[in-house]
Amino acid sequence: MPVIDFTGGHTTVIGITRSGKTYATQKSLAAQPKGVLFFNTQYEDLPGYTQANKQNDFKQLARAIQAGKKINYLPSTVQKEADVELAYLVSCCYDYRDNLLNGILAVDEVHLWNNHKRALKELIRVATTGLRFGITGVWISQRPALIDNTLMSQSNQFIIFDTNMEASYFKRYGIPHEDIQARIEQGGQYSFCRFDSKTVTGPVKV
Amino acid sequence: MSIEDEMYKEQELEQPTPEASEQMEPARPSWKLPEWVKAQTGAGEITDYLNHALNFNHSRPLAQLIRGLTGMFGAMNYAVIDIGMGLLGMSRNKRPVPPPAPGDIARTWEGSVAGD
């Protein structure tokens, strides 16, 4: 049973390092039925996922995703090359619109792509039109202040772990930071809250 | 084809890099005249074409034109030309020439007005 429900649309997962955000996300993604393309920027360990990289054929990945497989995509360690890879992967996902990919694109540390126009443009494309083409975005970050505004504003839900010094930024999006922080303190380590632009639920412990 | 191969192929299509070649290409392509423009005119004098089959009014300008065409296309004794000229002649023969109405002013070739 996934602890995070990704069926409602795009999701932004926020939390400081070692708050449990990536662990909770990858576990929840593994437990739900849709295929997943996890763009593993930080080379996290993802048990149960099938490893892939740029040496693979995208058609193979697409078939696997359509079959509900979870892909752990390991991009190049060179940021410039990883930028091209991410942009290319997203554009390929759109080429499957006639046979909808019907999968989830999860990008770890999504704020790292803020200064990479090519990849950011494609991520914004997913945020604004992805659901229509069967692509759900999951944006994971420890620096919400650096996440592109469109990715934030197009998210249907926010999964918020322990965060530091981001109160003013959360206020910009109407996220009740104080309420959430109080609940997380109550829930203890590796707990999170869910905010869907109206209500806060939680804490939930991973 | 791997993702890497397709990525680099796309990048090449977006920004084609010039490749060094053994033969240097000219900076600007030279403009050449088409071959038919450089064709020699037909043999003989213009007067030789006054009685050409295509010179229906036996005029000098048309004879000159026919000489040029002969040089470009040969003797021009093609069947299609005969057919085309024949049809033209038949249509000219059929067309009745209306007589001038009384009082109409008709100018002769020299420019004088008939009736002067």
Side-chain angles (χ1 to χ4, degrees):
Chain A
M1 181 72 178
V3 290
I4 303 173
D5 180 11
F6 295 106
T7 57
H10 304 309
T11 302
T12 298
V13 183
I14 303 166
I16 57 172
T17 309
R18 300 292 169 226
S19 60
K21 64 181 185 304
T22 306
Y23 177 80
T25 304
Q26 60 96 356
K27 274 287 189 193
S28 299
L29 287 171
Q32 54 82 46
K34 279 189 177 181
V36 174
L37 180 61
F38 194 105
F39 198 81
N40 197 350
T41 319
Q42 299 289 87
Y43 279 62
E44 298 276 359
D45 185 32
L46 304 182
Y49 284 61
T50 305
Q51 270 195 22
N53 56 32
K54 62 185 176 185
Q55 302 300 329
N56 292 102
D57 187 320
F58 179 78
K59 287 179 186 164
Q60 282 179 316
L61 299 188
R63 281 198 294 269
I65 294 166
Q66 284 178 321
K69 298 277 186 199
K70 317 315 180 208
I71 307 294
N72 171 14
Y73 188 89
L74 299 171
S76 171
T77 51
V78 177
Q79 187 80 26
K80 208 172 170 184
E81 287 181 20
D83 171 41
V84 176
E85 280 178 67
L86 180 53
Y88 179 75
L89 284 171
V90 173
S91 66
C92 285
C93 290
Y94 270 85
D95 286 342
Y96 268 75
R97 62 179 176 271
D98 290 329
N99 279 324
L100 289 179
L101 201 64
N102 202 29
I104 296 175
L105 171 68
V107 180
D108 200 10
E109 304 302 350
V110 72
H111 63 275
L112 292 175
W113 307 105
N114 223 27
N115 293 324
H116 294 268
K117 284 183 183 172
R118 197 193 289 239
L120 181 63
K121 186 179 162 192
E122 294 298 330
L123 293 178
I124 289 171
R125 190 182 176 195
V126 171
T128 51
T129 63
L131 294 177
R132 202 178 316 142
F133 291 96
I135 309 166
T136 304
V138 174
W139 322 125
I140 308 162
S141 177
Q142 57 179 297
R143 292 298 321 275
L146 298 181
I147 301 176
D148 180 81
N149 178 57
T150 305
L151 301 190
M152 288 287 283
S153 62
Q154 295 297 313
S155 292
N156 291 61
Q157 66 173 352
F158 295 89
I159 305 297
I160 303 168
F161 289 75
D162 188 18
T163 56
N164 279 337
M165 295 182 286
E166 305 282 4
S168 59
Y169 189 74
F170 284 136
K171 274 184 189 168
R172 198 188 304 178
Y173 292 99
I175 300 173
H177 183 250
E178 290 84 8
D179 180 15
I180 290 169
Q181 277 300 105
R183 289 173 187 244
I184 289 171
E185 276 175 26
Q186 193 182 9
Q189 199 178 20
Y190 307 131
S191 59
F192 67 88
C193 289
R194 179 181 174 273
F195 177 67
D196 63 357
S197 79
K198 286 177 188 159
T199 52
V200 177
T201 52
V204 176
K205 202 162 175 77
V206 177
Chain B
M1 196 182 282
S2 72
I3 290 168
E4 183 178 26
D5 291 337
E6 292 191 38
M7 263 164 47
Y8 287 128
K9 191 171 103 178
E10 255 191 27
Q11 279 190 299
E12 276 173 18
L13 285 172
E14 283 173 14
Q15 291 174 355
T17 51
E19 290 179 9
S21 56
E22 287 180 357
Q23 292 177 351
M24 291 292 292
E25 295 286 334
R28 289 181 194 171
S30 59
W31 185 72
K32 290 180 184 175
L33 283 172
E35 288 301 319
W36 58 267
V37 174
K38 296 189 280 188
Q40 294 283 325
T41 193
E45 300 296 322
I46 294 174
T47 48
D48 297 338
Y49 294 85
L50 286 172
N51 293 321
H52 193 278
L54 292 177
N55 197 340
F56 53 83
N57 59 3
H58 305 286
S59 69
R60 194 179 170 81
L62 189 49
Q64 189 170 16
L65 187 142
I66 293 167
R67 187 176 75 165
L69 289 173
T70 304
M72 200 178 289
F73 300 114
M76 293 200 300
N77 54 350
Y78 299 116
V80 290
I81 292 176
D82 258 350
I83 293 167
M85 294 306 294
L87 287 171
L88 184 64
M90 284 165 64
S91 69
R92 282 163 67 90
N93 290 342
K94 273 188 184 173
R95 199 183 305 157
V97 179
D104 273 0
I105 297 172
R107 289 196 180 273
T108 63
W109 177 251
E110 285 78 26
S112 59
V113 173
D116 280 353

